[in-house]
């Protein structure tokens, strides 16, 4: 607890320098697992994704730096995914209900978004595993944004 | 902040790069898919269910002469005969309608009311005109979806009401202007096969005199429509031919 207090007062603190406690590792890792579950449930119904994202935000507001940093990264990684999957979802609905025709553009978008989903899935699993071990798994772009948002 | 912008730029570029690459492939051709595959498959399914629910008349005394009439109409008007199927349904309702997948259903109740082959051809011609003019194509896929939802909700049970709702929805989706168009096109079909096009007007009027509403539920002013046909100009007024022998026609009517 004491070492944590000291760290918090350092403004130039990097997430890599934090030595998390066992329960912190568990909670931070849980954020990624939550995000995985949210994506899986949210695939057919993106609104669930949105609700889960809201819960994420509330979770990230309390908690220590380590937990906050990881839950914020999990949250940020959800945002583009949420937008892309939503577009895909409604596009699919439109095709299934015959309001628009199937097109190569749709299939191209479907493949691109799925590739992104796979990338996101792999990164999230890696994050969950590494965080559980107490290591920080930094994502390209999202890690940088998280640094900007999560200070102290 | 600069780092975020740089990384954001690269990520966005990567995303659109991959999207751009995948866009270069003609996926539909690659997988042999048609743009309307969903609607087609659903239409097929709806038709299968509708067909199972029908009591199709398989008597050759009925089927062969009607096939002959349909074939004559198609060849005289440059329509692919194989693309259209006319199914006779044993049903006392005076009704005929075009439905998904270029099928035309004609009820025995309607055939009973017809005085001659030209009137029967007028009804079939009207429905075929709906198909040929693309009146049904545009709305039909959404209709198919509603049907599918309906089937799912009712649990497959009530095929009869399903067919009723189909014909109802299709006739509701066809505007009055399109009905007039189909009447006129139907009359032209009759003329092309050397039948009296004015039988179209007679058929419309006879529906009114019978007080039959099921076929003409969308034909609120069938008198007006008959008048429109009578105003049409055809270069030759007969002589018109007879396709089926009197004997075949009588047999048809007696076999219903
Ligand atoms: Zn009509």
């Amino acid at each position: 607890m004491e070492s944590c207090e000291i760290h918090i007062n350092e403004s130039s603190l990097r997430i890599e320098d934090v030595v998390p406690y066992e329960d912190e590792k568990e909670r931070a890792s849980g954020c990624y697992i939550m995000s995985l579950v949210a994506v899986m449930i949210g695939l057919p119904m993106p609104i669930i994704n949105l609700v889960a994202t809201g819960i994420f935000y509330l979770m990230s507001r309390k908690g220590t730096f380590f937990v906050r940093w990881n839950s914020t990264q999990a949250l940020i990684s959800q945002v583009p995914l949420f937008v892309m999957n939503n577009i895909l979802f409604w596009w699919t609905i439109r095709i299934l209900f015959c309001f628009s025709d199937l097109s190569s553009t749709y299939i191209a978008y479907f493949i691109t978004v799925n590739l992104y989903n796979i990338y996101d899935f792999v990164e999230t699993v890696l994050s969950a595993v590494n965080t559980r071990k107490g290591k920080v798994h930094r994502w390209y772009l999202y890690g940088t944004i998280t640094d900007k948002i999560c200070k102290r | 902040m600069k780092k975020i912008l740089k990384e954001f730029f690269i990520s966005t570029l990567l995303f659109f790069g991959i999207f751009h690459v995948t866009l270069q492939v003609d996926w539909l051709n690659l997988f042999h898919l048609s743009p309307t595959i969903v609607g087609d498959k659903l239409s097929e399914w709806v038709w299968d269910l509708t067909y199972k629910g029908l009591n199709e008349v398989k008597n050759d005394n009925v089927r062969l002469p009607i096939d002959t009439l349909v074939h004559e109409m198609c060849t005289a008007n440059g329509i692919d005969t194989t693309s259209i199927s006319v199914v006779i349904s044993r049903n006392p309702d005076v009704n005929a309608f075009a439905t998904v997948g270029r099928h035309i259903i004609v009820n025995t109740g309607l055939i009973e009311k017809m005085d001659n082959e030209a009137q029967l051809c007028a009804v079939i011609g009207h429905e075929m005109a709906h198909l040929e003019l693309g009146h049904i194509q545009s709305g039909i896929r959404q209709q198919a979806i509603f049907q599918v939802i309906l089937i799912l909700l009712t649990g497959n049970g009530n095929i009869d009401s399903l067919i009723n709702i189909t014909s109802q929805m299709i006739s509701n989706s066809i505007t009055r202007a399109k009905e007039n168009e189909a009447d006129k096109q139907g009359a032209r079909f009759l003329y092309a096969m050397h039948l009296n096009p004015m039988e179209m007007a007679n058929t419309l009027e006879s529906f009114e005199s019978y007080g039959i509403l099921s076929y003409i539920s969308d034909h609120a002013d069938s008198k007006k429509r008959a008048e429109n046909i009578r105003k049409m100009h055809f270069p030759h007024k007969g002589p018109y031919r007879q396709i089926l022998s009197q004997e075949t026609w009588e047999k048809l009517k007696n076999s219903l």
Side-chain angles (χ1 to χ4, degrees):
Chain A
M1 205 53 171
E2 208 174 300
S3 67
C4 198
E5 299 269 328
I6 297 162
H7 282 313
I8 279 167
N9 290 332
E10 280 178 44
S11 59
S12 63
L13 178 79
R14 290 173 69 242
I15 183 68
E16 278 83 358
D17 299 331
V18 176
V19 183
Y21 293 101
E22 197 57 29
D23 66 315
E24 284 184 285
K25 292 179 198 170
E26 219 167 276
R27 281 193 64 188
S29 174
C31 289
Y32 291 108
I33 291 166
M34 271 277 294
S35 112
L36 273 184
V37 172
V39 169
M40 280 171 190
I41 301 170
L43 272 182
M45 254 337 270
I47 190 74
I48 294 165
N49 233 333
L50 189 73
V51 173
T53 313
I55 297 168
F56 265 66
Y57 179 71
L58 293 175
M59 274 176 66
S60 71
R61 276 171 42 169
K62 302 165 193 173
T64 60
F65 182 44
F66 187 78
V67 174
R68 219 167 61 233
W69 194 93
N70 279 293
S71 68
T72 307
Q73 183 172 261
L75 164 76
I76 292 170
S77 73
Q78 285 291 302
V79 174
L81 201 69
F82 172 72
V83 174
M84 285 175 201
N85 285 357
N86 245 299
I87 293 170
L88 186 65
F89 175 78
W90 290 112
W91 199 344
T92 309
I93 289 292
R94 281 186 64 87
I95 288 172
L96 283 182
F97 282 74
C98 303
F99 290 107
S100 56
D101 286 343
L102 184 69
S103 60
S104 286
T105 315
Y106 168 79
I107 298 175
Y109 183 76
F110 182 88
I111 291 168
T112 311
V113 169
N114 271 284
L115 284 175
Y116 184 77
N117 268 286
I118 292 166
Y119 164 76
D120 202 276
F121 180 81
V122 171
E123 285 280 56
T124 310
V125 170
L126 285 176
S127 296
V129 171
N130 281 326
T131 314
R132 191 67 194 80
K133 288 178 188 161
K135 277 184 275 178
V136 172
H137 185 79
R138 184 180 281 277
W139 298 35
Y140 188 74
L141 178 64
Y142 304 141
T144 319
I145 297 173
T146 310
D147 278 343
K148 198 88 187 163
I149 296 171
C150 264
K151 285 264 163 69
R152 289 203 317 166
Chain B
M1 204 64 204
K2 245 185 183 165
K3 200 179 171 204
I4 292 178
L5 282 176
K6 195 190 111 206
E7 291 187 356
F8 179 76
F9 183 70
I10 290 171
S11 302
T12 317
L13 206 69
L14 196 67
F15 178 82
F16 283 104
I18 292 170
F19 189 34
H20 183 76
V21 168
T22 52
L23 269 176
Q24 304 310 306
V25 182
D26 190 354
W27 298 102
L28 289 186
N29 252 332
L30 193 68
F31 296 129
H32 305 290
L33 297 171
S34 92
T36 54
I37 184 159
V38 177
D40 293 344
K41 287 279 166 209
L42 285 166
S43 301
E44 230 171 78
W45 185 44
V46 168
W47 170 250
D48 281 350
L49 281 171
T50 311
Y51 184 74
K52 265 183 219 149
L54 287 177
N55 186 359
E56 193 192 359
V57 176
K58 290 190 172 147
N59 189 334
D60 279 348
N61 287 341
V62 179
R63 271 176 53 162
L64 294 180
I66 286 174
D67 280 351
T68 306
L69 294 177
V70 171
H71 183 78
E72 285 286 325
M73 189 181 287
C74 287
T75 42
N77 291 286
I79 301 164
D80 180 9
T81 312
T82 54
S83 79
I84 284 178
S85 85
V86 176
V87 173
I88 313 301
S89 167
R90 192 174 299 286
N91 188 327
D93 293 345
V94 182
N95 201 357
F97 57 92
T99 184
V100 289
R102 290 172 76 77
H103 295 285
I104 295 171
I105 296 173
V106 182
N107 285 354
T108 48
L110 182 129
I111 300 173
E112 275 168 19
K113 298 282 187 209
M114 297 294 111
D115 294 337
N116 54 49
E117 59 181 27
Q119 290 195 355
L120 182 57
C121 282
V123 171
I124 295 173
H126 173 93
E127 298 306 331
M128 207 178 279
H130 276 316
L131 294 178
E132 284 300 300
L133 296 171
H135 292 170
I136 291 176
Q137 216 50 41
S138 49
I140 201 73
R141 298 218 158 80
Q142 262 98 333
Q143 310 284 357
I145 304 298
F146 288 126
Q147 283 192 36
V148 168
I149 292 168
L150 204 84
I151 293 162
L152 292 176
L153 287 179
T154 56
N156 247 356
N158 217 336
I159 301 287
D160 260 356
S161 67
L162 181 86
I163 296 166
N164 272 337
I165 287 167
T166 323
S167 60
Q168 202 64 46
M169 280 192 303
I170 288 169
S171 51
N172 285 349
S173 73
I174 297 172
T175 61
R176 191 151 299 175
K178 283 180 178 170
E179 287 301 343
N180 283 326
E181 257 175 66
D183 289 342
K184 285 186 179 167
Q185 190 62 38
R188 281 186 213 108
F189 284 167
L190 291 182
Y191 185 70
M193 61 197 286
H194 304 289
L195 292 178
N196 187 358
M198 289 309 140
E199 288 291 355
M200 176 62 83
N202 293 341
T203 310
L204 287 166
E205 273 168 357
S206 70
F207 278 131
E208 181 141 289
S209 65
Y210 289 133
I212 294 154
L213 282 172
S214 56
Y215 173 67
I216 44 174
S217 58
D218 52 327
H219 307 194
D221 41 4
S222 57
K223 215 168 216 163
K224 187 105 208 313
R225 287 170 59 183
E227 269 169 37
N228 286 336
I229 298 297
R230 297 215 188 275
K231 276 184 215 149
M232 285 175 81
H233 176 73
F234 291 97
H236 306 288
K237 297 218 185 317
Y240 300 108
R241 68 173 176 150
Q242 191 156 3
I243 296 169
L244 305 174
S245 69
Q246 195 57 36
E247 193 195 347
T248 315
W249 176 254
E250 295 291 337
K251 241 187 194 169
L252 191 166
K253 296 274 274 193
N254 292 332
S255 303
L256 291 173

